[in-house]
Amino acid sequence: MLRQILIIFFFIDFVSVAFAQNKSSIKGKLVDSLTTEPLAFASIRLESKAQSTLIKGELADDKGSFQFVGLKDDKYVIRIEYVGYKTKYVEISYEKLNSQLDLGSIALAPLSQSLESVTVSGIKPTVVATLEKQIFKAEQFEVAKGGTATDVIKNIPSVMVNAEGEITVRGAKGFLILVNGKPTQIDAITILSQIPANMIEKIEMITAPSAKYDADGKAGIINIVTKTGTNDGWSFTSNIQYGLPRIIEYFNATEPTRYGADLLATYRKGKWETSVSLNYLKNDIAGRRVGDVNTTINNIFTSFPSDGERSFKRENYGLRVSGIYAISKSDELSGGMYLGNRDQYRLADILYNNTKTNTLTNTIVGRATYFNSNLVLKSGSFNVFNLDYTHRFKNASNITFSTLYESAMIDGYTKNRNLNAKNYTDTLQYTLNTGENPLKALRLKVDYEKTVGVGKLSLGYQYRNQIQNGSFAYYEKQGNNTEMVFNPTFSANIEISNRIHGVYAQYAGSYKKIEFSSGLRYENAFREFTANRGNAPALLKLSNLFPSANVLYNFGKDLRLKMAFSRRVQRSTNNELNPYPEREHSETLEQGDPNIRPEFIGVYEAGITKDFKKASLYWNLYRQQITDIVNRVNSVYNDTILNRIYTNAGKARLIGSEVGLTLSPIKKLKLFLGGNVYNLRIRGTLFDKSVAVNSNGWVYSVNSNISYQISSTLTTQFNLAYLSARNTAQGEDSRFYQPNFSVKKSFLENRFSLVLQWQNAALGRMKVNEQRITTFGSNFYTTTNYIQERNIILLNLTYNFNKTDKKSKLPNSEFGEKEF
């Protein structure tokens, strides 16, 4: 299939090149004047200045680039039109035949720039909406300075991070992460924690992706665009962070420590552009948990409330190197390397009080108090290499070949010890889970683009292959003077293979007041899971179509309407496939299902954007139809242990609305108010139809941001992220909120800046950074209140040499970090 596609591509371009008459050309790149975002598929007319006649017409490609070839000596006027932007005219005196004239970046102004005119220097519009994306500049979120990409996206409407660190977009955990447009399958929590906030230029939210993107991610795509230099020579950006000692006592075994540093250096000269980044972050979090669990088995009611420490020790570091070399005016080679490591220790030292009651006689038949020490290590090292080659043909079409290879080692352990509450050296029970997960993955991709009519035709093929061979061992002992015994029931050597072939076709462009894209993607997927050689493998073969359509209409007077549809898939992680239980902590086993089915989602969306004199508004309505929704559900394993299982829970329907309002009521003050509300309904059954699922509930969230410029070098900011209580398949998660403050002082013409941050700000008895998670069934009930650290004080010192505001194609882990 790949050979046939390539033959067609090269035949088309061979014929086009054969008719090219000379090498004379004019080229340029169109960008948004506010965001520097490339403007894809704009209409460009080349007219003779003397005769006012049309000479040629072109469409920019998806990167905003255009080119006119085969020109005569003359004076020309280039007329550029784009939906939602002011028409621009560029006069050119073209006097040298066979020469190549590069106009560089041409900035187009939105029809309304009122926000830019009423705000002071340094305060920019919070969000810019386009056909497919909502774009948020990272620099406006000072409360995220010195942190990671997770701290940046917390400020975006419809994105929430709960007490457990789980990230949701429009209520769904499944979304795809891109880094500088490169599709990945990286686990969101891991990859976002590896990218320093200071290296991020902007965040692009793509909630109804087109066919050219991977079909993965039921909630859409988050694209992280990183910085690089724009001028010839060197550019540097560096940041040092230090965290003050904790303020509130959580009675943890050790004190949390927080410090870090990151550096981005870029160099541009002639045909070369290189970027190197280094980052290190130590980011511990203190905390506690208070829980209560009860089970009923054979008329015995067992209750075991608990209280104790739950803290995290987190450390990560990474090196990224990338380079771009312009072989010629038509050929470009780019490559990159990423070496990263992440370690996370989670310690839960919990005191349990166990009481057993006979429900028939209502008499207590047993009591026990014990101390449980549970230590979990998750460790990952990632090595990624990528190479891309792009050729631009003389007829303004282009073809790109991309390769990405990754090797990774993901390992860790869970040490679970039940100890005598009066003598911690007296071991009552000890279990040890170990796991090693070496991984190798390969992605090959080819994309072709060509101008056809009023739009751009895109064709592509992609091959993905992932192999992971894991070894999981379970050991246990009873009492002090016994040997550790290997338990084969909970141990296994597993082999997982995933292969996906994908092809797509897409047509996108603009006509008068309409901007559009429409496409179709086909994917053939194969998954094989084998546990312990000799056992029959679990196979899954899929062949699916993923259509997409986006349209935007400009009514004039700064009012735009857009509508979209996209079909998506949410594939299972290897953790969700592994059927062998892992002892997560004293009261929980966790396991997957090798026969779990992926979720398929239909996304429908409609929205408007409106610019006012001192404000800007966007409002979206959306609906998701989900088949085979996956939930993590509980059942009783024994009287003191619940079994958490990943399983398909039936069908779901999600409807919602999100809104974002940017307002500048007075000089120096900018407000951003964002909100999201949705209703999730789940209908289905669990455990071979023995348990019915009938869940329905409304959820809302608020993301607000207030910035005030005290002076030209002093600013302050407040933000609030609030998530309401929400229903789950078997229970409810309570509300969760995080207020944050920051003050920024700039020095030496803004080259240095000092930022003071007050994270998880709490006054009095405010229950900030605290969440209760509850689940229940016919014979069990469990509720746990997670209390994470409040009132964290951080200092950040940043140095900038030369402005850096163009994306850098730094590589990231493609598959390995997903399994972390």
Side-chain angles (χ1 to χ4, degrees):
M1 180 182 294
L2 176 59
R3 181 182 299 175
Q4 294 173 333
I5 293 172
L6 294 179
I7 291 174
I8 294 172
F9 287 166
F10 283 116
F11 176 76
I12 293 172
D13 287 290
F14 175 79
V15 173
S16 301
V17 171
F19 286 95
Q21 299 299 313
N22 56 54
K23 297 180 180 179
S24 58
S25 67
I26 299 174
K27 66 179 182 179
K29 182 177 181 179
L30 308 179
V31 298
D32 186 295
S33 63
L34 297 180
T35 68
T36 70
E37 174 74 9
L39 299 178
F41 313 120
S43 174
I44 306 149
R45 294 166 55 93
L46 184 70
E47 301 175 351
S48 171
K49 183 178 180 180
Q51 301 178 12
S52 298
T53 57
L54 175 65
I55 305 299
K56 288 190 176 185
E58 287 287 346
L59 282 177
D61 62 18
D62 65 339
K63 300 178 180 62
S65 298
F66 67 91
Q67 185 178 33
F68 293 103
V69 296
L71 302 178
K72 300 178 180 179
D73 292 353
D74 200 354
K75 292 184 178 180
Y76 297 102
V77 174
I78 295 180
R79 175 176 175 173
I80 305 168
E81 295 179 330
Y82 196 67
V83 176
Y85 290 81
K86 298 177 181 178
T87 300
K88 185 155 189 171
Y89 299 87
V90 180
E91 291 191 13
I92 297 171
S93 181
Y94 193 81
E95 300 175 351
K96 294 183 179 180
L97 192 64
N98 296 325
S99 67
Q100 294 183 331
L101 177 61
D102 189 349
L103 301 177
S105 294
I106 302 173
L108 270 65
L111 288 173
S112 173
Q113 293 195 23
S114 58
L115 282 175
E116 187 179 43
S117 63
V118 300
T119 55
V120 298
S121 176
I123 300 179
K124 299 180 180 180
T126 300
V127 58
V128 174
T130 66
L131 173 66
E132 286 189 345
K133 307 172 184 177
Q134 291 170 171
I135 305 164
F136 298 81
K137 299 284 282 186
E139 65 182 15
Q140 64 193 324
F141 303 126
E142 290 295 337
V143 292
K145 183 74 71 175
T148 66
T150 303
D151 299 300
V152 177
I153 68 170
K154 284 180 182 179
N155 297 275
I156 297 174
S158 300
V159 178
M160 290 301 302
V161 183
N162 70 6
E164 286 290 87
E166 294 178 337
I167 304 170
T168 58
V169 177
R170 292 181 172 178
K173 298 176 186 177
F175 55 91
L176 183 65
I177 292 289
L178 305 184
V179 180
N180 299 319
K182 285 187 171 294
T184 79
Q185 298 180 47
I186 304 169
D187 174 73
I189 297 175
T190 303
I191 187 57
L192 293 174
S193 70
Q194 291 287 87
I195 303 176
N198 307 309
M199 295 184 185
I200 299 174
E201 170 64 20
K202 57 193 172 185
I203 305 292
E204 297 178 347
M205 301 295 298
I206 310 171
T207 50
S210 60
K212 69 179 180 180
Y213 296 105
D214 280 9
D216 300 59
K218 66 180 179 181
I221 295 171
I222 297 179
N223 184 30
I224 310 292
V225 181
T226 56
K227 298 176 181 177
T228 188
T230 57
N231 301 319
D232 282 352
W234 287 97
S235 296
F236 295 96
T237 298
S238 62
N239 185 80
I240 299 175
Q241 182 185 83
Y242 176 73
L244 274 61
R246 58 134 185 93
I247 295 176
I248 300 176
E249 175 65 71
Y250 291 91
F251 304 99
N252 290 175
T254 59
E255 293 294 328
T257 57
R258 289 176 279 267
Y259 53 86
D262 53 74
L263 168 70
L264 171 65
T266 66
Y267 178 76
R268 298 185 66 189
K269 194 69 175 179
K271 296 183 177 182
W272 284 95
E273 178 178 339
T274 60
S275 297
V276 179
S277 70
L278 292 164
N279 68 281
Y280 174 85
L281 183 63
K282 184 77 165 65
N283 185 25
D284 300 342
I285 297 292
R288 298 188 66 78
R289 53 151 280 179
V290 179
D292 192 9
V293 183
N294 65 66
T295 62
T296 303
I297 302 175
N298 297 327
N299 300 319
I300 299 298
F301 176 83
T302 303
S303 174
F304 42 107
S306 60
D307 185 8
E309 172 180 352
R310 190 174 189 272
S311 62
F312 290 88
K313 303 291 184 185
R314 302 183 295 201
E315 182 181 41
N316 67 73
Y317 52 88
L319 165 67
R320 293 177 173 89
V321 179
S322 71
I324 301 175
Y325 177 66
I327 303 171
S328 68
K329 294 184 180 296
S330 301
D331 300 276
E332 182 179 275
L333 188 67
S334 62
M337 175 185 71
Y338 163 50
L339 307 176
N341 192 88
R342 185 184 185 207
D343 295 314
Q344 175 180 287
Y345 293 87
R346 195 270 292 142
L347 177 63
D349 282 348
I350 310 293
L351 183 66
Y352 284 89
N353 291 290
N354 187 309
T355 303
K356 295 181 181 294
T357 304
N358 188 314
T359 58
L360 298 179
T361 62
N362 201 29
T363 57
I364 295 176
V365 295
R367 290 184 186 273
T369 299
Y370 58 92
F371 180 82
N372 175 260
S373 180
N374 183 270
L375 179 64
V376 177
L377 167 65
K378 291 184 178 181
S379 180
S381 59
F382 315 100
N383 306 289
V384 184
F385 307 90
N386 74 283
L387 185 66
D388 301 337
Y389 168 74
T390 299
H391 177 73
R392 299 176 183 87
F393 299 98
K394 292 184 176 63
N395 62 351
S397 64
N398 65 80
I399 189 167
T400 300
F401 299 90
S402 304
T403 303
L404 184 144
Y405 173 78
E406 174 177 358
S407 64
M409 172 58 78
I410 305 152
D411 56 12
Y413 58 74
T414 300
K415 297 179 178 180
N416 188 76
R417 297 182 299 150
N418 287 334
L419 310 175
N420 187 326
K422 298 180 179 180
N423 180 10
Y424 290 173
T425 63
D426 182 12
T427 300
L428 306 178
Q429 184 189 51
Y430 178 31
T431 61
L432 172 64
N433 279 94
T434 62
E436 292 184 353
N437 252 327
L439 176 148
K440 293 183 179 180
L442 176 69
R443 177 190 289 265
L444 301 174
K445 188 180 179 187
V446 57
D447 298 281
Y448 175 81
E449 295 177 339
K450 184 176 178 62
T451 301
V452 178
V454 297
K456 186 78 66 173
L457 176 65
S458 301
L459 304 171
Y461 166 80
Q462 181 177 259
Y463 170 74
R464 290 155 56 186
N465 186 31
Q466 176 186 344
I467 298 175
Q468 189 166 1
N469 299 324
S471 177
F472 302 91
Y474 187 98
Y475 301 90
E476 58 188 351
K477 63 178 290 187
Q478 303 291 331
N480 290 308
N481 301 316
T482 60
E483 298 291 331
M484 293 290 287
V485 177
F486 176 75
N487 187 333
T489 303
F490 292 167
S491 305
N493 294 316
I494 65 172
E495 298 178 5
I496 303 175
S497 176
N498 284 283
R499 293 191 299 273
I500 301 174
H501 295 272
V503 294
Y504 75 89
Q506 178 175 299
Y507 186 67
S510 62
Y511 179 72
K512 294 184 178 180
K513 295 184 176 183
I514 298 175
E515 190 177 344
F516 63 90
S517 72
S518 179
L520 181 65
R521 187 180 189 91
Y522 167 77
E523 290 190 348
N524 181 275
F526 173 79
R527 185 184 76 196
E528 182 178 9
F529 177 95
T530 304
N532 297 323
R533 288 183 179 273
N535 293 337
L539 303 177
L540 179 67
K541 299 179 181 180
L542 296 172
S543 183
N544 301 102
L545 293 173
F546 298 94
S548 68
N550 291 267
V551 62
L552 183 148
Y553 185 80
N554 182 17
F555 287 95
K557 297 184 179 180
D558 304 324
L559 176 64
R560 297 171 293 279
L561 168 69
K562 70 174 183 178
M563 301 182 69
F565 168 78
S566 180
R567 188 170 190 247
R568 315 292 297 161
V569 61
Q570 184 64 37
R571 307 183 200 278
S572 302
T573 66
N574 291 350
N575 185 52
E576 294 170 345
L577 295 172
N578 186 4
Y580 294 89
E582 178 185 358
R583 191 74 178 267
E584 281 290 301
H585 53 79
S586 177
E587 60 196 57
T588 304
L589 289 171
E590 185 169 296
Q591 67 183 105
D593 178 1
N595 296 307
I596 200 168
R597 299 179 298 278
E599 301 178 34
F600 285 94
I601 308 96
V603 180
Y604 305 82
E605 184 174 317
I608 61 170
T609 60
K610 172 66 177 176
D611 295 328
F612 302 93
K613 185 176 181 181
K614 293 186 178 182
S616 179
L617 171 73
Y618 76 86
W619 177 34
N620 296 324
L621 301 173
Y622 59 89
R623 178 186 179 98
Q624 295 180 8
Q625 290 293 139
I626 308 169
T627 302
D628 287 327
I629 188 171
V630 174
N631 270 248
R632 189 178 70 175
V633 297
N634 291 331
S635 63
V636 176
Y637 179 76
N638 64 25
D639 59 346
T640 60
I641 299 178
L642 297 178
N643 197 18
R644 290 178 179 170
I645 303 174
Y646 291 97
T647 186
N648 297 109
K651 296 183 178 181
R653 185 270 296 140
L654 186 149
I655 56 172
S657 175
E658 63 187 5
V659 63
L661 173 65
T662 304
L663 179 65
S664 184
I666 61 174
K667 188 177 181 180
K668 298 185 178 182
L669 176 66
K670 189 184 77 166
L671 309 177
F672 175 71
L673 303 175
N676 178 51
V677 58
Y678 69 86
N679 176 268
L680 176 63
R681 184 186 68 195
I682 303 176
R683 298 285 188 271
T685 59
L686 303 171
F687 311 123
D688 295 325
K689 300 183 179 181
S690 62
V691 177
V693 177
N694 188 359
S695 176
N696 188 15
W698 287 91
V699 183
Y700 66 90
S701 63
V702 176
N703 301 74
S704 65
N705 194 296
I706 303 174
S707 300
Y708 183 73
Q709 189 162 15
I710 301 171
S711 70
S712 60
T713 61
L714 183 63
T715 59
T716 184
Q717 188 175 89
F718 166 79
N719 89 307
L720 172 68
Y722 180 92
L723 175 65
S724 73
R726 58 174 181 165
N727 288 349
T728 61
Q730 289 183 293
E732 181 185 73
D733 296 348
S734 75
R735 59 94 189 98
F736 179 73
Y737 66 103
Q738 293 177 314
N740 302 284
F741 292 91
S742 71
V743 178
K744 177 183 176 181
K745 174 64 177 177
S746 300
F747 307 91
L748 299 177
E749 297 180 344
N750 292 323
R751 286 195 175 185
F752 284 93
S753 63
L754 180 65
V755 178
L756 173 67
Q757 297 170 313
W758 180 13
Q759 295 184 350
N760 305 327
L763 300 174
R765 296 177 177 266
M766 294 173 62
K767 295 184 178 182
V768 172
N769 210 22
E770 180 177 329
Q771 186 174 36
R772 178 176 294 277
I773 296 177
T774 302
T775 60
F776 49 85
S778 61
N779 59 347
F780 76 91
Y781 174 88
T782 174
T783 182
T784 305
N785 193 28
Y786 296 99
I787 305 168
Q788 301 290 344
E789 189 173 359
R790 305 172 185 139
N791 294 328
I792 297 173
I793 306 298
L794 300 171
L795 292 172
N796 292 273
L797 179 63
T798 302
Y799 171 72
N800 289 290
F801 174 72
N802 286 349
K803 188 177 181 181
T804 57
D805 61 7
K806 178 186 171 187
K807 71 178 183 181
S808 173
K809 299 179 180 178
L810 297 174
N812 282 274
S813 172
E814 171 74 18
F815 301 98
E817 292 184 351
K818 179 180 181 180
E819 301 305 329
F820 184 92

